[in-house]
Amino acid sequence: MVPGIQHSLFLYLLLSCIHPSQAAQGCLNRQKVLIAIRQMQQFLKGQENRFADGIRTMKAKLSALQASVTKLTADQPSVTLCPVLEAPKHGKKFGSRYRTDHEVHFVCQPGYQLTGSSTRVCQPSGRWSGEDANCTAPTAVEWNTLNNQSFSRKPRCAKVERTQHCSCDAGFHMSGSSENSVCQDVDECEVFQLGGLARLCMHTCVNIPGSYRCTCPPAYKLLDDGRSCDDIDECTTSQHNCTGAETCINIRGGFQCVNPQCPEPHANVSYVKTSPFQCERHPCPMNSKSCHHAAKTISFHYLSLPSKLKPPVTLFRMATAAAPGRPGPDNLRFGIAGGSNQGQFVLQRSDRQTGELILVQPLEGPSTVEVDVDMSEYLDRTFQAKHVSKVTLFVSANRF
């Protein structure tokens, strides 16, 4: 039998039994009828809560789907054509595609120097980055500047069948006339760059005679590939100066010494520190409503982020679990309770027991951003307790 029809029939029978004109032998007595009515009321309340939770879950999923579809639409690359570029006089052009993000490279013939941009990129606006490339013959003063023993040197020449052939070492290119040629260093850092940033190195490219080398910012180390940088964990390598009362938190490009404190007592509310990163409220007086609604627990969390991290990114999850032998809450409410830069975060429910703090706007470093997240527990629509998580974000000056 369909549950709705079955419950309607049950209610009809109860009404029939308690109606004076229709009471019949075999009906439940008054006490049993009241018990049955209370059971039916509890059943309907449970059905109502499950229906409300289902509606909220469906709305959250629809919002997430809408955001995902909107992002996919915004991320669709637009096909843009840039004007055709010609090779400069006394030079060559490499690259024949003129769509968005495609590159064209220019080099000059021996005896000429490149002015302008050696690499140009087709931008979404339909314009090329950089400046027009030209090949010009250097002046006498420029030749004196080029004539440096480290970055310019004499070529290796040999006569083969009355013809002189000259060559340069790797990392150098031939410049000057055939009678007065010189091997000039190739600045790899300038040739292979995009938007003013070196593409050969994760951080900084340094040109050296015949080659290049990569460097990393302070508190980072260069990896074995010679180009990538990795953060040094000062906390695990004992390279910090935190005191015994403080905890060392490793962040990108350094460390932080933290010692979070519980709130000062006020009214009937006071806290005790139960661990380095958690405070718990003392029991409240029976008649103190303000104490009962204050946070039962306050926890402290520290995260390290790169600068300008592309959102959306889930930073933190908050959940609850019932103690053994005790019924857990049947409803949770999550919210952002305070802190700085609140508009750059949203809090949404991922399931019935979990809320997620999501970064929706990039954070630029170096900076320290704080955001407070709270979770309220309800049982049968009655407030039970509130928990607060204080999240501190250490945003690096670098994008790695």
Side-chain angles (χ1 to χ4, degrees), residues 107-332:
V107 295
C108 293
Q109 297 174 358
Y112 295 87
Q113 283 186 301
L114 180 70
T115 58
S117 302
S118 60
T119 298
R120 304 188 70 181
V121 182
C122 180
Q123 302 178 96
S125 62
R127 297 182 178 181
W128 290 98
S129 64
E131 301 176 351
D132 292 338
N134 295 287
C135 295
T136 59
T139 63
V141 175
E142 289 172 334
W143 278 119
N144 290 335
T145 303
L146 293 174
N147 193 19
N148 182 294
Q149 293 182 355
S150 298
F151 290 92
S152 58
R153 57 191 62 172
K154 293 182 179 180
R156 296 191 302 270
C157 299
K159 285 188 176 182
V160 179
E161 297 180 356
R162 299 182 181 182
T163 302
Q164 182 166 286
H165 296 271
C166 298
S167 62
C168 296
D169 295 332
F172 290 82
H173 67 92
M174 191 81 69
S175 298
S177 62
S178 57
E179 295 81 13
N180 190 25
S181 60
V182 63
C183 291
Q184 179 64 30
D185 172 65
V186 175
D187 189 343
E188 295 86 356
C189 300
E190 181 180 354
V191 172
F192 298 98
Q193 68 175 353
L194 179 63
L197 299 175
R199 300 178 61 191
L200 296 174
C201 303
M202 179 179 284
H203 184 57
T204 302
C205 179
V206 179
N207 184 52
I208 60 177
S211 186
Y212 69 95
R213 63 183 177 87
C214 299
T215 63
C216 296
Y220 285 83
K221 60 183 177 182
L222 189 66
L223 297 182
D224 293 339
D225 62 5
R227 64 173 302 274
S228 303
C229 298
D230 190 26
D231 174 61
I232 296 174
D233 190 340
E234 294 85 357
C235 298
T236 59
T237 55
S238 299
Q239 300 181 46
H240 61 86
N241 56 0
C242 300
T243 65
E246 298 173 322
T247 301
C248 179
I249 303 295
N250 182 62
I251 64 176
R252 298 167 189 263
F255 63 93
Q256 289 284 341
C257 300
V258 301
N259 184 20
Q261 299 297 315
C262 299
E264 293 292 330
H266 64 281
N268 293 321
V269 183
S270 62
Y271 292 87
V272 60
K273 201 170 185 181
T274 56
S275 74
F277 299 111
Q278 180 155 317
C279 299
E280 293 188 12
R281 189 190 66 207
H282 282 110
C284 293
M286 291 294 294
N287 58 349
S288 178
K289 186 176 181 180
S290 61
C291 178
H292 183 64
H293 280 81
K296 185 177 182 180
T297 64
I298 302 175
S299 57
F300 302 88
H301 309 268
Y302 302 92
L303 304 175
S304 177
L305 298 179
S307 182
K308 298 180 180 179
L309 182 64
K310 186 177 180 181
V313 179
T314 300
L315 301 177
F316 179 77
R317 290 184 173 89
M318 195 174 190
T320 187
R326 298 182 60 185
D330 55 20
N331 189 21
L332 298 175

